[in-house]
Amino acid sequence: MLSHTAECADAFDRIAALIDAAQTIAICAHVNPDGDALGSGLALTQVIEAHWDGKEVVNLLAEDDVVPRIYQFLPGADRFVRSCAYDGCPDLFISVDLSIPSRLGDGEAVLNRSKKCAILDHHPCDDPVADAYLIRPDAAAAGVIITEFAQHLGVEVTADMAQNLYCAIATDTGRFQYQNADSEAFEVASFLVGCGASPSDVSLNVYQSFRLAFLHLESAVMGRITTFERGRIAYSYATQADLQRTGASLDESDGLVDVVRSVEGSEVALFLKEVPGGKVRGNLRSKTGRDISGVARALGGGGHRAASGFTIDGGIDDALSAALPLLHALFVEEEQSVDGRDAS
C-alpha cells in the first residue's frame, strides 16, 4: 500500500464526493498533451468506472487534434474526444495535469459549462479555482497522484491502468533521468510494474519507434543547436518548412527538447517549434536546480522548476527575442547574488 498524508486523504475524499454526486464527468488535460496528461487522464477514467457503476465519463482532448502517434498504444487511447466536438454540460469537470484554465484550450469552454470542477495536478498553482483539488508539486507526475487516488478508493489497479500510469511517470521523469525522479516515483513505478505495466512496451512505443521522417527532422534540429552564456544555455528550433520538407508531424517534435538538453556543459535548454496559427511553442528544461518556470510564466505559460513551456504569437525570431533575455537574466541574477555575498 502506497502512503499519502492525511491532507491528501482529505482532498481525495472531497474529490470522491464530487464524483459520487455526478452522473456525467469530463476529464481533460492541457494543450499539447504529453504522456502524463494522456496516461493519467485515461487511468482516472478507468479508476472511476471501476469504482462507480453507471458513470458517464468522457476523455477530452484540449485541442482540435488527434492523440500523438507515440501514445496511441495506451489502453483506451481511442476513446478521446475533441473538446471542440463535445457539446455536453457535464456535472463534473476534472482537470488532470494542469491547474490553469487557460491551458485547457477548447476544454475551457467545457469547464465553463460544467456544474462542478475538480483538479488533480502536480504543477505549482498559487490560487486554484475548483470545488475540490489536490495539487502536489512534489509529485513527479500526475500519474503518481492518480495511482494514490486509486489506492485510496480501494480500487484494484488493473494491467491497463498500470500501463497508462507507468507511461505517465516514465515520460514525465524523462525515463527516470530528470531531477524529479525521486524515491516515490520509483516506488510507484515498481508497484505499477507489479500490477502489469510493461516498461519495455512503453520504451518501445515512446522512445524506440521513430519514423525516418522524424530522424531527418531531428538531424536538422541538432545542426542548429546554438549555445551562449558560456555554453550554459542551449537552444534550437523547428519550423513548419522543416515539417513539410521531412514529412514529420508536429507531435513528433515534442521530445526534441531532450536533444538540446543533452549538450555538454549546458544547464538550460530551449526548444522552439512553429505551430499553426502564426504561433511558436517553446519547451524549457533545466539540468540543475535553476528554476525556469518563471521564464515560462512571463511568456504566458507555466510548468515546473525543471520543465516548463509556453506559446507566443509570432515567429522563431520573435520567440528567441522574448525568451533569451529572460534566460540570460537567470544567470545575471545568480552572479550578482554571488558577487554580493563575496563582497560581504
Side-chain angles (χ1 to χ4, degrees):
M1 181 74 177
L2 302 174
S3 62
H4 50 263
T5 66
E7 182 180 0
C8 289
D10 289 343
F12 283 150
D13 285 340
R14 289 191 293 271
I15 292 170
L18 290 177
I19 296 172
D20 193 54
Q23 176 58 32
T24 54
I25 302 167
I27 297 172
C28 189
H30 51 77
V31 296
N32 193 31
D34 54 16
D36 192 21
L38 296 166
S40 294
L42 287 171
L44 179 58
T45 294
Q46 293 161 340
V47 168
I48 292 172
E49 291 178 342
H51 191 69
W52 284 275
D53 289 332
K55 302 294 183 184
E56 299 172 31
V57 189
V58 60
N59 285 100
L60 298 178
L61 290 171
E63 298 171 290
D64 186 10
D65 207 342
V66 298
V67 174
R69 183 185 61 85
I70 61 173
Y71 297 119
Q72 291 177 4
F73 77 99
L74 291 174
D78 57 350
R79 67 183 295 163
F80 276 102
V81 175
R82 296 176 177 88
S83 291
C84 61
Y86 176 76
D87 58 4
C89 299
D91 298 324
L92 177 62
F93 185 100
I94 305 179
S95 295
V96 174
D97 200 32
L98 85 162
S99 306
I100 304 172
S102 61
R103 296 202 66 219
L104 281 167
D106 296 328
E108 187 172 6
V110 182
L111 168 63
N112 293 336
R113 299 196 302 265
S114 303
K115 296 176 182 177
K116 299 287 185 178
C117 171
I119 297 172
L120 288 163
D121 188 23
H122 68 131
H123 295 87
C125 181
D126 295 331
D127 188 24
V129 179
D131 296 286
Y133 62 87
L134 177 57
I135 299 173
R136 274 191 57 207
D138 61 326
V144 169
I145 298 170
I146 304 302
T147 303
E148 293 177 346
F149 184 49
Q151 287 219 317
H152 179 79
L153 294 172
V155 171
E156 179 181 354
V157 176
T158 66
D160 282 355
M161 293 178 198
Q163 186 79 325
N164 285 324
L165 291 166
Y166 180 88
C167 180
I169 298 168
T171 53
D172 242 34
T173 58
R175 289 174 279 185
F176 302 95
Q177 298 178 76
Y178 295 162
Q179 296 97 311
N180 62 340
D182 56 15
S183 59
E184 180 185 51
F186 281 99
E187 180 184 6
V188 175
S190 177
F191 167 75
L192 294 171
V193 172
C195 292
S198 171
S200 61
D201 281 353
V202 172
S203 181
L204 176 64
N205 283 277
V206 179
Y207 300 111
Q208 300 177 48
S209 295
F210 298 131
R211 297 191 307 135
L212 190 58
F214 165 78
L215 295 176
H216 289 159
L217 175 65
E218 181 183 46
S219 177
V221 170
M222 292 176 66
R224 292 191 184 120
I225 294 177
T226 303
T227 64
F228 77 112
E229 195 60 47
R230 290 177 292 179
R232 293 181 294 179
I233 299 173
Y235 68 88
S236 190
Y237 61 88
T239 66
Q240 288 286 297
D242 293 329
L243 298 178
Q244 294 170 2
R245 176 177 54 81
T246 61
S249 60
L250 186 63
D251 66 81
E252 286 181 298
S253 64
D254 288 344
L256 288 173
V257 66
D258 288 327
V259 173
V260 185
R261 186 180 185 272
S262 68
V263 174
E264 181 184 14
S266 66
E267 298 180 27
V268 172
L270 168 66
F271 174 67
L272 302 170
K273 61 180 178 182
E274 291 181 340
V275 297
K279 298 178 183 294
V280 171
R281 184 169 290 155
N283 297 117
L284 288 164
R285 296 291 184 270
S286 172
K287 294 164 68 173
T288 63
R290 186 169 282 103
D291 185 356
I292 43 84
S293 63
V295 173
R297 286 194 299 270
L299 297 171
H304 305 286
R305 292 177 58 88
S308 298
F310 61 89
T311 301
I312 66 172
D313 294 322
I316 295 294
D317 288 341
D318 299 309
L320 289 172
S321 297
L324 293 183
L326 296 175
L327 293 174
H328 170 69
L330 291 178
F331 292 88
V332 172
E333 292 168 2
E334 178 186 84
E335 290 167 356
Q336 288 176 340
S337 176
V338 170
D339 291 343
R341 288 198 299 270
D342 290 344
S344 63

